[in-house]
Amino acid sequence: MERIEVVYRDGVFVPLKKVHVREGARGVVILTSGEELVEFARKHRKKVQEDALVTFLEERR
């Protein structure tokens, strides 16, 4: 199973990236709104004590 992001344009779901799918293939589209994504992010966010990017860059110096 492959996840393909699509956008709805002129009555047709169009993939956001080029995909190779045989003609007549069937799939399922699950619609999500931006609000659902924001709620998901709020539910799963973590507070961290330090900036991971700063730590990463300091380790590389």
Side-chain angles (χ1 to χ4, degrees), residues 9-52:
R9 228 182 263 147
D10 298 324
V12 177
F13 289 104
V14 180
L16 294 178
K17 67 177 184 174
K18 187 167 179 105
V19 294
H20 299 285
V21 179
R22 67 177 169 78
E23 190 67 29
R26 292 180 174 229
V28 175
V29 175
I30 300 172
L31 300 175
T32 60
S33 69
E35 294 169 4
E36 291 172 350
L37 295 175
V38 169
E39 184 59 35
F40 178 84
R42 285 185 180 141
K43 181 179 175 183
H44 293 92
R45 70 179 167 194
K46 281 185 177 178
K47 294 203 181 234
V48 294
Q49 297 297 326
E50 55 191 45
D51 187 346

